[in-house]
Every structure is written in structure tokens, then in C-alpha cells.
């Protein structure tokens, strides 16, 4: 077991703070200057001509890059664990990129939206080129992957669908999907929580912002629901449509359809070629996932099979939604193997 | 508090066993001979010319008429509690009819279906006429009501919509409604439970029938889901379509639309006149209802308001879905008052 | 699967209402006239010289004899299921006696107490002799057993310890035991529930009695805690000592010791000979029992082993505390076999 | 709301790494070199003659000093929030000391034990003197306080009891106490979890150490139970006695008494003078605390009242055990006010 306070890296983690033009003028007034952490594997500096596959890491809702340094008991951080994968030779070396997509509402779902900003473009059109320009990556899509958990797993599902010219591999741990099972229950919880705010999410938001972070049991459900509405069902002027009636929880069909258009399960058909081009697809989740993302994973696997994509690593295990970061190194190794050039 | 073992009635409970032609040839081979319990209030036998309003009582899923005799601690049975309402003069006297709509799958949802049988017709075309023929009811719809909890509350919602010529008042305690919140979560639970049955609900059903009733934690979710599929999405030949993929829980849109067509919230518009004709509407539920039927109740209230029906008794209270039978006498008194002839 | 409404018995269930002198003057003013149901197996009336072993059935907290008629979905009642055991020849025939030990506080724990009444004496000194006098029992202890669930399982544990001259076999399903795990958590729940009653259980009791049975989520925890205090830690004048401080939940050591003196696990040593004399001991519970009575069962098994009693049927299964009545026929068959005369 | 990634401090946080002789030869082989973080308030460097009260901060179980840098959504870290208290002038300035007492078993409970090491002596005899020597503290006990949550709240309860010559104020957020309610339930969970390890906690420990941190739902209950046994019921040779039988969960009375000797509620009487000497006592917890530490807090308040200590800030609020770090700045301000010299 590791010493508790920190671990030495065999590779190197570079911490950059960069200004991203794509985020300028974003509707929430979020910073255009963002951290970007780039990990290079052991040996990188000793092999100045070698090029490496790259894996982009996306975070779950309310995550931001500084949280990759959070320590939890008896665990390595993911950068440390990733370093272990490479230093022990469990996978060919790769560059790992930690991307920040935090917003005032806790996240961006890695999409372009008038409600939050252009985080998909930011990732694809600014972050990736910057990394390719400053690190010795193999810059063809078959050598570039994306991974993440929860909302990050959603980002890992959709980004290669939208940009197969950039991404040729993905890993999704308990990735948001099958929205009828994962989201609708949240709407019910939110509706009950809004009773004390006259069914007005903006009254809650005003109150929430005055408090020292989440202090009520449904605050994070409300944050996520507000934020995802900003991502999936914002109007052109940046205003937000909730997918449900906040008095009763009843689905608003037209808005809900906009959400479903972003359900990875429903996107598979529209992006079949992109998915067929992937060199690596890893999907996993805990069998007790509180948002039923084990079923979301299964639905993805089935939808992929329907378009002929069956070379998928799919795995369920005894866990809920939390505490599954010990899974990330496994999929990282998988991606590194699949995205490395054949010898 | 009552003595534990039983209570004397001031009125009289008649227990009939009758043969109902409407149920003949039902696809599940369920009995055509059914119990029918009819309660007459104190004074009924002493006033041979008096006629009374009548209230039909429907049960929740897996309920059958014999369960009205079940005793729970510190509680009267509902027939006893109803008797108390009348004997204490808390409401004008009424006849109360306890209807049986059990099936092999645990219930009928009080609809006509090739999957279960014609329980709507049975109720409306056989039970009601029989009662009117054998008891001194006031047989106009403005003097006839229907009440129930859970699936029984669903029956109480829909039967007056379909047959306003018969029913002029309703009370629904935690009645099934707003299916996106009440049912979809069940599908997720069922899907997980079916993993050990290869995703085949019939394998589970075969196993379940061999066991001495429910012994696994999701058996009742599966029973209800199978049964409601038989009610809402049977084919003409009696075979059953599940509204979700039993491997992943993904909604099957076409089948799900058939279910939604039976969602009371969605039925309001189509039956606006019937609802406007009601003399009494009582809706209640617990604020912690595990199927979010408090939200279903709110959605009904909102849908009713949209068609101009605002004379509704709506009440939420601190409770879950279970143990709320102490609410039934309250709505019974309400119905008896509203459905009695004006003096 | 059984028809829902009722089942025909191959044997016969006699329903008596008798007056019991032992209960006269009981401190709670509970009835001295009690129901007593006696089941005789198929063939009983045709073999007028044959004598049978007898099994006494005790109920869980808040149970009273009329509840044996309660019906639950897809289940036989226990009298019906017991009848099936005998009619199918799965066990030698036995007489089964359904005993009522309800009190105003919901139960008696089958002990003599100035707080509730002399329910142990009632069972042993009045019920048993009456049954022996009116039915053709084999009246030696090796042919008489006792069974029950939860509090009834507690009664089944302790009654043979106290009266091995009467009882020679026992079955305990999720029987109260290992009080540090089963009861202490209840005290915490009660303490929180009493906050709105100024920490005064009598204020709660007065309020509870005015309500139509349990309507708050912790009412039954409070009933049981009050009632068990009346059973285990009443003073000579019938007043009651709670085993915890109702403001903080802190155990009161002296009162708690009085409870522990009634913990079956702690009683084993003091009643070793009585336990060694048993012809049949059946202990079971669900592995998810909410009161940890699976661990209580294990602790009993271990305590029994310590005094050399290892011929014990012990079984754990996937279940919580509720819905395990399907287990009762299994232990009944076991008792009937062990308590029948050898051929 | 704060920017997500970090906040500037008005004061200064010094991060030391020091060698502590008291920990040398500790039985778990844990590091003798430890981090020690010391925060000085704004103005400290500009007032070279001014001396300040000091507050020592202890962490909950499995916490170590590096975790104070962990970021959670919409929250400041505690060092940042503490800085805010002082920079906004909400309390007189104080020095805040972040102490590390991690062990291989996840914690030390801040006691001296042959099972873990001498963490009480480490805190009192090394950390405090070092801080007093290197920072301009007011070194009388009336100007030194200790605070913490959960196990840290336990440390905050007991350290001033044991060393009133050092500590004159304490704040305990959901501090471990009233062990019959907070710990016994854990033993039941552990016992069930140990079924797959033949009831052998060392088998589990060996397996746990091979896994990448906690991956099973009861791992942390087992860690805490093992660790607290090492703290409270180790033998002189460092071996450990569990307070319960790991097959059944049954309390081992003699070992349990050793635990109870460390229950703050039971320690009050023995340390009455020490507690009477405190200038500040703050106790709080959430009303839904999963370990019933709201009741533990009430029991402490009652025990303190019994020895005449009634000047206590006691507060319950709607929360569970997690996510209550927003409470820490409140008690810090309270301590800083009470422990500052009167003007």
C-alpha cells in the first residue's frame, strides 16, 4: 500500500495554465484561463525522437482539474496510478492529458451550448492541437483516445462520435447514458427539493450561491439538473429550459427530446461510421450504480452490436457509482495498448 | 384503540360469491366466480324505502377482496373504519362495495385487455348493475363514486373518465400516474433482477411459480411489471409486450406509448368532459411515496386545472406508499357527502 | 400457485374463545378472554385412539391470533401451509396450536412481568393444559414443541429453557437475540423520534393512542421499545424503566442488565440442562435481517456449542426480516419429525 | 462562490516536514517523519511582537494532512475558509495547526497505544512544543484549543481532558462518542463482511492490502474497526483484541469495557476538573448522522451538565455525517474569540 501523503512519479506531470480563445465570452463568465495537466511517461525525456499515443481524461460532474490531486484513503491519485501502469511496463507508454471543463454550474458535458460555452470545440480545437504542438504525440486518430467516468464517461462516448478525425479510442466508466433510467429519477428528486422554493429553480440557485457549498441533501442533484439543462436544452439566448415541470416532475416532451438527442445510446445510429472506426472501446460500470449506468453500459453495447461493433471490452462489477477510480488504470492500459503503433 | 381481534359493525357486511359472465374465457384462466362484499350502513334495514349513494372500492396491486379482512396492529380494517365513519355520523350513510379484480399476475388495473380479461367491463357492466339490482342504491352517476389506493387509485382515476355515465365521484390515494416517474425505475430494477434469468421474464415467471410466493427482493416488481404489461401492452392474441428491453432496461418507444396512453395524467385531455362532470375528486399521497405518486397527484391536479377542474381536494402528508389505509375513511366521508342527495 | 382467496384444509382448524385466569388483573386491562386456534391434522378424527405431538406457534411483535388469517399475495396462510405439510405427508401428523399473547403495548414477549401480565404462566400453565385436556396430544415434553418468528422466535427460545418439563423442541425464525445488535439501534431511532415529544415516551404514547394506528415512521419502534420495557424492566408496581436515556439514547446500565438477563444468548449458560434435553432445535434467519438476527442466530448456535449442544439445524438465507413466513412450514416439518414417537 | 481551482490566502500556510521522536519504533512501521502545516493569520508578519492563540486541527478516520488540500465542489478547503474567517475580521486572529496522525490502519484516535504508537504524546509533547517554539503563540492553555470532526472530534474531546495543562478550549463536530450507538452497529456490519473471510479479520486485511484501496462496501468499516481496536484494546505486545466475536458480532464484555473507558461520555466524570477549566466548548452534529453522533453530542452535553459545565455551544442541524466541513469555520471563530486575550 502506498504511503499516504504522496507518491513519486517515474514520469512527469506538467501543470500548465493556458488561455483558451474558444471559451472567451462564455455565457456563465467562467475563466478562459484554464489549467491543463499533461503527464509524460518514464523515458519520454530520454527518447527525444519517439512519439507517443495520447489519452485525454475527462472528469465527472462537478470535477475540475485540481481535484486530480485529491487524495483518498489507501489510494493513489489517478496520475500516480497511471504512472504506475507505465513504470511497471503494464502498457506501452502514452501521454495522458487532464482536461478542465468546469463551469459555474459544475460542468459542461463537453458539448458546445449557448447555455454554458463551447467546451466541445475547446477540447477538440484548442486543447488537442496545443498538446500535439507541445508534446511528441502520434497525432493520427488511431493513436488518440479519450476516457472518463460519469459525465466524463459521457464525454468519452460522444467526443469520438462527433470527431472521429481526432479520436480513435474511448473508455467510459459508468458513463451517462440511457437517460430514461439515469436522469428521470433525478427530476423527481429535484421536484421534491424545489417544493420549498415554490418550484422555482432560480430561487434555489440564488439561495445555493449564498450558502457555503452544498448543505442540503439534494443540492447536487439540482446543480447537475440545472447544468445539464444548460448543456442540452438551452435556448439561443442562453436561457435554459428544464426537461420537466418543476412543480410535478412531469416530463416536457419537446425539451426531453432535446436531451434524448444527446443520449449516447440514441446517438449510436447517427454516428455509426465514427464508432466503427474506433480501435478501442471500453465500457464498464458497477452493478449497483445508483444511476443505473450498468444498464446504460449494456444499452450501449447492444446499440453498438446493432451497427456491427462487437469488439468492445464490457465489464460489470460489484460497485455503486462512487469509489471506482481504481478502474481507471485498467482502461488506460487497454487504450494505451490499442492505440500504440504496432511493432 | 380498538380491541385487536375484531370489531363489531354497526352496519352490515354481506359477503357474496357470484359468477361473472364478463370474465368467462379470460386468458389467464382466472375464476369467473368472485367474491363481492357489500357493506350497508347502520339504519339500512330500518328504512326500507331509503336509497343510498354507493362507493366502489378498488384495491392496490396484488390485492384481492379477502385481504380487506387482514388485520394490522392498532388499526381497524377498512370495512370497520368505514362503519365507524357512518355510525359516528361523520358522513351521510352510503353503501360501500368491495370489488375483486385479482388475476394470476396479481391484478387487472381495472381495464379490458386481451392479456388479462375484461375487468373494466366486469366492474361497470356486471358488478355495478348487480349491486343496483340487489341494494337500494341511488343509481344516477352523481350518487356513485369509486375509490382506491395505488393501482386501486389508478382504477379510481380512469373508471369515471371512461364511464361518466356511471361514476360521478372519485378518490385516489397514491394512485398510479405520471408513469415516467412511477414505472420507469421499476423497469430498471426488473432488468437487474432478470440478469440471473438471462433477461427472460418467462424464465423468472416459471421459477416464481415454483416458489412459495415472493422470496426474492424484486419478485413483486417483476409481478407488477409483467401484469401491467398484460394490462397495457398485450397483443390481440393475449401475448405480452414489455415496455423495455429486458437486457438493458431501455424503453421500447412504441410499447411505452401504449402505456402512456393509460397514464391518467395523459388521459385527462381526452376525457375532459367526463372529469368536469364529477361531483367529487379527492387526490392524496405521501410526500415520500416510493413511486413518486405525490408528484403524480400534483400532475393530475395540474392537468385537471388545465381543463378547468379546480374543485379538487388535494393533500400531501408525511408518509411513504405503505401504511396509508388510515386515509381511506377520510376520502370515503368526502365522497359520501358529495354524492348524497342535497337535503 | 394457490387460488387467492382461501384454501380448503385437509385437516381442521378449531377456533376457540376461552377465559384465562392467569391473565386476570393484568396491569394493562387487556382481555382475559382470548382466542385460541387449534389445528388437527388430516386423519385426526378417523383415529380416535391416536395421540399426536403438538407444536405451539407464537407470533412476532404486534401479532395477535386473528392475523394468522391475513392473506398475502401468492402465499398460503401458515395454517394452510401447515395443513399442506401434513396432507402431502411431508411430516408425521401433529397438532398445531396458535397462541394469542397480544397486549395493549403490542406484545408480551411471553414472559411474566408486572408491566404487562403473566403471559409465560398463561402459556405454560393454562394454554398447554387446556390443549392437552381437549385434544389427543402426546403430553410428554419430548413430544411438545414451540415455534415462532421474531418475538415469537424469542418466545420459542426461552420457553423451553424455562420449562423443559413442558417443551422438548423449538424452532426460532429470526428470533430476538444478541440484544446489543438487535435492540440498541432501536433505542437510537426512538430517541430521535422522541425529540418532538420532549424526550417523553408517555407524551408520544398519549399522542399515538389518539391517532388511527401507526402514522409516523418510528411509531412501531416506539411501541416495541415501550412494550419490551414493560416486559423486561418493569418495577414491581408495574411502572416501566426504559433501558436508555430518552434524551440522548445513552444506555442505562442497570436497566440494560435487566434486558440482557432476557437475552437468549446470555440465558444459554443458566439453562444448559434444559437446552441439552431438547430433541429438536431449529434456528434460521435472513442474511440481511434488519435487526441482525442472523448474527443473533449465529450467537445462539455458538453459545449452544459451548454447552455441548451441536445437533442444531441452522440456516441462513438471502432475506431481510419481513416476508419469511414461507420458512415456517419447513421448521414445522422438522419439529413434527423430531417430536413424533419413534416407530 | 469561489473559483474552483484554488484561492489566494490572506494569511500564510507553512508546510513543514518534521521528524518526531515520539513515533520512533511505532509498531506499524509508520513514518516518523510527518507533515505539519501551520497557518498564520493576516498581519502575523507585520506584528513581530504580537502573540496569538492557537488552534490544533485533528482529522477524521483515514484522514491525513495532505487531504486538507482536497477540493470539493463549490467549497473552499478548510485552510482557505479559515483564512476567510480571519481576513474578514469575523474572529480575532489565531494560529491554526494541522496535525497528521495517520497510521497504516487509517488513524490513531490521538491516543497512546501499543497497537499503533504514541500519538497522544506526539501531539502533546512534540507537536505543541515545536509550534510554540517556532511560532509566536500564547502558550498558556487558556489560549490553546483543539478542534476536529468525527475521529478528530473525538481527539478534540479527549485531549483537553487528558492535558488541561495544554488545552483550554475544544470544538467537536460529530465527534465519536456514545459508543453503544456509534460503534456497535459497525461491528455487526463487519461481522457480516467477514463471512467471506471465515470470520478472520487478518484474512480480510491481507486481501485488502493486495487490492487498490477500498473496493468492497464494508472495507472502510473494517479498517476503522481494526484500527480502533489497535487504539483501544491492544495488548502490551501490540497484538489486538477485537471487542466482538467476529463470527457472531457478540460483544466481548472485557474488551468492550476497554473501549468504553475511551468513550468521551464515560470519561467526563473522571476528568471533571479538566473540563471545568475549558474556556470554550463547541459540540455539534447533523440530526441524521449515520453514527448517531447527534445523540453522542447530546450525551456529552448532558454529562457535562452533570458536572456543572453548562457554558457549551451545542447545535444540531439537518445533515448526515458527511459534507459538514462548512461547519468548521464556525467553531474556529468561536474558539478564536474565546481563546483570545481579553482586550
Amino acid at each position: 500500500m502506498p504511503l499516504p501523503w504522496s507518491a513519486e512519479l517515474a514520469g512527469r506531470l506538467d501543470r500548465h495554465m493556458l488561455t483558451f480563445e474558444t471559451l472567451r465570452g462564455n455565457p456563465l463568465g467562467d475563466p478562459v484561463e484554464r489549467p491543463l495537466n499533461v503527464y509524460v511517461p518514464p523515458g519520454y525525456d530520454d527518447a527525444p525522437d519517439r512519439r507517443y499515443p495520447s489519452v485525454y481524461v475527462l472528469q465527472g460532474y462537478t470535477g475540475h482539474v485540481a481535484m486530480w490531486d485529491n487524495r483518498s484513503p489507501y489510494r493513489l491519485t489517478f496520475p500516480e496510478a497511471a504512472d504506475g501502469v507505465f513504470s511497471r511496463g503494464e502498457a506501452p507508454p502514452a501521454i495522458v492529458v487532464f482536461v478542465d471543463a468546469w463551469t459555474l454550474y459544475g460542468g459542461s458535458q463537453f458539448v458546445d451550448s449557448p447555455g454554458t460555452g463551447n467546451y466541445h470545440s475547446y477540447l477538440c480545437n484548442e486543447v488537442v492541437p496545443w498538446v500535439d504542438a507541445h508534446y511528441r504525440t502520434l497525432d493520427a486518430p488511431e493513436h488518440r483516445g479519450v476516457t472518463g467516468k460519469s459525465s466524463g464517461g459521457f464525454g468519452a462516448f460522444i467526443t469520438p462520435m462527433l470527431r472521429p478525425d481526432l479520436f480513435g479510442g474511448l473508455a467510459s466508466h459508468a458513463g451517462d447514458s440511457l437517460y430514461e433510467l439515469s436522469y428521470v429519477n433525478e427530476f423527481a428528486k429535484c421536484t421534491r427539493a424545489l417544493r420549498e422554493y415554490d418550484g422555482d429553480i432560480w430561487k434555489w440557485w440564488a439561495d445555493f450561491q449564498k450558502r457555503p457549498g452544498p448543505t442540503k441533501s439534494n443540492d447536487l442533484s439540482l446543480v447537475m439538473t440545472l447544468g445539464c439543462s444548460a448543456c442540452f436544452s438551452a435556448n439561443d439566448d442562453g436561457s435554459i429550459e428544464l426537461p420537466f415541470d418543476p412543480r410535478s416532475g412531469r416530463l416536457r416532451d419537446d425539451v426531453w427530446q432535446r436531451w434524448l438527442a444527446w443520449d449516447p445510446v440514441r446517438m449510436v445510429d447517427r454516428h455509426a461510421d465514427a464508432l466503427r472506426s474506433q480501435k478501442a472501446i471500453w465500457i464498464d460500470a458497477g452493478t449497483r450504480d445508483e444511476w443505473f449506468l450498468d444498464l446504460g453500459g449494456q444499452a450501449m453495447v447492444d446499440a453498438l452490436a446493432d451497427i456491427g461493433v462487437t469488439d468492445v471490452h464490457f465489464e460489470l462489477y460489484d460497485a455503486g457509482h462512487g469509489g471506482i477510480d481504481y478502474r481507471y488504470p485498467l482502461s488506460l492500459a487497454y487504450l494505451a495498448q490499442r492505440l500504440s503503433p504496432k511493432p
Side-chain angles (χ1 to χ4, degrees), chain A residues 34-58:
Chain A
R34 296 271 166 156
L36 181 73
N37 292 358
V38 182
Y39 167 87
V40 296
Y44 181 88
D45 293 323
D46 305 325
D49 295 328
R50 184 167 178 181
R51 292 195 162 265
Y52 297 83
S54 56
V55 177
Y56 288 74
V57 186
L58 310 181

Side-chain angles (χ1 to χ4, degrees), chain A residues 113-304:
Chain A
S113 166
T116 51
N118 296 323
Y119 288 86
H120 172 69
S121 298
Y122 150 77
L123 168 59
C124 294
N125 299 344
E126 280 202 274
V127 173
V128 169
W130 188 92
V131 171
D132 285 344
H134 293 80
Y135 289 87
R136 298 194 309 278
T137 58
L138 291 157
D139 65 359
E142 59 264 33
H143 303 302
R144 191 184 291 108
V146 57
T147 185
K149 180 213 164 183
S150 196
S151 284
F154 168 79
F157 276 141
I158 66 159
T159 309
M161 291 198 217
L162 299 174
R163 294 298 300 272
D165 59 311
L166 290 182
F167 291 98
L170 71 92
S172 181
H173 302 277
D176 297 4
S177 51
L178 204 57
Y179 288 2
E180 59 268 53
L181 299 188
S182 53
Y183 275 125
V184 174
N185 222 33
E186 292 297 300
F187 303 160
K189 285 195 265 175
C190 288
T191 302
R192 283 180 172 170
L194 289 176
R195 279 175 182 152
E196 62 175 299
Y197 297 96
D198 303 322
D200 182 346
I201 201 166
W202 297 111
K203 269 197 192 174
W204 163 80
W205 177 245
D207 174 58
F208 176 71
Q209 289 182 294
K210 280 180 219 143
R211 290 189 269 126
T215 62
K216 298 186 177 184
S217 50
N218 285 311
D219 279 337
L220 287 177
S221 287
L222 283 160
V223 166
M224 190 185 71
T225 299
L226 179 60
C228 288
S229 297
C231 297
F232 296 150
S233 51
N235 300 313
D236 289 344
D237 64 359
S239 62
I240 289 171
E241 303 291 336
L242 291 180
F244 60 96
D245 182 323
R247 270 169 58 93
S248 69
R250 181 176 175 171
L251 284 179
R252 288 172 168 157
D253 290 340
D254 51 341
V255 187
W256 181 235
Q257 288 304 321
R258 296 182 63 188
W259 282 53
L260 288 180
W262 280 110
D263 183 346
V265 173
R266 272 88 183 176
M267 292 172 72
V268 167
D269 279 350
R270 279 181 279 139
H271 302 278
D273 285 340
L275 289 162
R276 289 186 197 111
S277 75
Q278 300 298 305
K279 305 300 175 206
I281 300 182
W282 172 294
I283 300 173
D284 75 18
T287 50
R288 296 179 275 112
D289 189 287
E290 290 82 355
W291 285 270
F292 297 113
L293 297 172
D294 50 332
L295 300 181
Q298 181 71 57
M300 279 302 287
V301 168
D302 292 350
L304 287 166

